[in-house]
């Protein structure tokens, strides 16, 4: 199979994260996490629009809100807030807080979050200072409109990749510090998850040291795509067997997350980071074509 990796023009983010394909606007939303930056790549215009969220330090994720075209749920510290943005202006504003987690652990912050196929929130926390790869202060949560955050898992190191396969009734989750992908049984009607099992162990891939799994997505055939923060690779994996089907090589090391998008949902968008002075093109968002696979669009958050 021959796939093609190309840079999205002018897509730099020092810590690019959280790609989310919005069908209605044919746009890829993603964040520049440590500068409270939110970005929109307009597919038709082939152009990135950027905004900073006024008064905030972090933007961990960006999720469009159902039926509110200028509202987005964004992770700012330990709060999930509603941000008003027209998708073009250079400034965005917080209008209210949706919910907060771990309010007593000020040294923590929210990390990756997504919506499940029914529009519920799933996401988690991590330590924001010190050696983040050796701390276990995070938690994984779900939340749905009208309710409170529900802790799914405690003693999480870095709460990261999330994906759902409705056909297989599975929810996939990555805690980066465990170097593995978990599969939970997933009840779509209630949102409940249970019976976590390790389905992909990244410790076994490279003898020179363990790879750090980061963001994740799933294709329509049920394969998972796992970004590696220190590996320059996205692994396409069969979650039933744990077998690597393809190694997608990206021309920088710190691969943060992945999402399918484009008009036919057959382009894999890949965000990257430029932490600790990486050489160019670190921090670029890439598009991978020719994978002969399709994924699912992002789902709006119901609030």
């Amino acid at each position: 199979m021959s796939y093609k990796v190309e840079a999205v023009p002018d897509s730099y983010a020092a810590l690019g994260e959280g790609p989310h394909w919005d069908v209605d606007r044919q746009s890829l939303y993603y964040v520049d996490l440590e500068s409270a930056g939110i970005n929109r790549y307009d597919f038709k215009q082939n152009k990135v629009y950027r905004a900073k969220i006024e008064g905030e330090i972090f933007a961990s994720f960006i999720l469009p809100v159902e039926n509110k075209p200028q509202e987005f749920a964004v992770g700012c510290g330990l709060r999930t807030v509603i941000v008003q943005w027209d998708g073009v202006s250079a400034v965005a504003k917080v209008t209210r807080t949706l919910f907060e987690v771990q309010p007593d652990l000020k040294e923590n912050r929210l990390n990756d979050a997504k919506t499940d196929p029914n529009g519920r929130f799933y996401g988690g926390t991590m330590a924001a200072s010190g050696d983040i790869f050796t701390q276990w202060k995070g938690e994984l949560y779900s939340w749905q409109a009208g309710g409170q955050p529900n802790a799914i898992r405690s003693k999480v190191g870095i709460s990261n990749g999330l994906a759902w396969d409705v056909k297989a009734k599975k929810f996939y989750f990555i805690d980066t510090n465990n170097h593995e992908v978990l599969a939970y049984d997933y009840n779509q009607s209630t949102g409940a998850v249970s019976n976590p099992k390790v389905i992909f162990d990244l410790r076994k891939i490279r003898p020179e040291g363990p790879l750090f799994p980061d963001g994740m997505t799933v294709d329509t055939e049920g394969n998972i795509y796992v970004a590696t923060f220190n590996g320059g690779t996205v692994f396409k994996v069969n979650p039933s067997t744990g077998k690597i089907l393809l190694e997608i090589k990206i021309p920088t090391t710190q691969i943060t997350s992945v999402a399918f998008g484009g008009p036919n949902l057959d382009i894999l968008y890949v965000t990257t980071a430029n932490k600790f002075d990486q050489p160019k093109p670190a921090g670029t968002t890439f598009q991978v074509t020719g994978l002969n696979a399709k994924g699912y669009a992002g789902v709006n958050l119901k609030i």
Side-chain angles (χ1 to χ4, degrees), residues 99-162:
F99 59 87
E100 186 175 10
V101 295
Q102 295 186 308
D104 300 328
L105 290 178
K106 295 300 181 194
E107 68 277 17
N108 276 16
R109 67 163 173 81
L110 284 159
N111 200 39
D112 206 356
K114 282 186 186 175
T115 40
D116 81 345
N118 284 34
R120 306 178 188 96
F121 170 99
Y122 288 72
T125 55
M126 59 175 279
S129 59
D131 183 356
I132 60 173
F133 298 106
T134 58
Q135 298 183 63
W136 307 86
K137 299 174 184 173
E139 292 184 315
L140 172 67
Y141 304 91
S142 63
W143 176 89
Q144 55 187 351
Q148 295 296 319
N150 167 51
I152 295 170
R153 188 178 183 89
S154 59
K155 293 182 181 165
V156 172
I158 299 175
S159 186
N160 239 323
L162 311 139

Side-chain angles (χ1 to χ4, degrees), residues 217-262:
T217 194
V218 65
D219 68 19
T220 56
E221 294 178 350
N223 301 303
I224 58 172
Y225 295 71
V226 179
T228 57
F229 184 73
N230 60 339
T233 304
V234 176
F235 291 103
K236 177 182 180 180
V237 178
N238 179 333
S240 302
T241 63
K243 185 184 174 195
I244 296 170
L245 304 177
L246 181 65
E247 293 191 27
I248 304 165
K249 298 291 188 185
I250 306 297
T252 186
T253 302
Q254 297 171 345
I255 315 305
T256 55
S257 196
V258 285
F260 279 98

Side-chain angles (χ1 to χ4, degrees), residues 164-172 184-188 192:
W164 292 262
D165 184 340
V166 169
K167 287 182 265 190
K169 299 181 179 174
K170 294 294 180 187
F171 162 63
Y172 300 110
Y184 286 77
D185 295 332
Y186 167 65
N187 183 320
Q188 187 181 357

Side-chain angles (χ1 to χ4, degrees), residues 61 63-74 80-84 95-99 115 118-121 143-147 299-303:
F61 54 83
L63 303 170
V65 171
E66 179 85 347
N67 297 324
K68 302 271 187 178
Q70 295 198 4
E71 289 191 3
F72 300 85
V74 180
T80 295
V81 301
I82 298 299
V83 168
Q84 188 92 20
T95 59
R96 66 188 189 279
T97 296
L98 207 52
F99 59 87
T115 40
N118 284 34
R120 306 178 188 96
F121 170 99
W143 176 89
Q144 55 187 351
V299 177
N300 293 338
L301 180 68
K302 293 179 179 171
I303 64 169

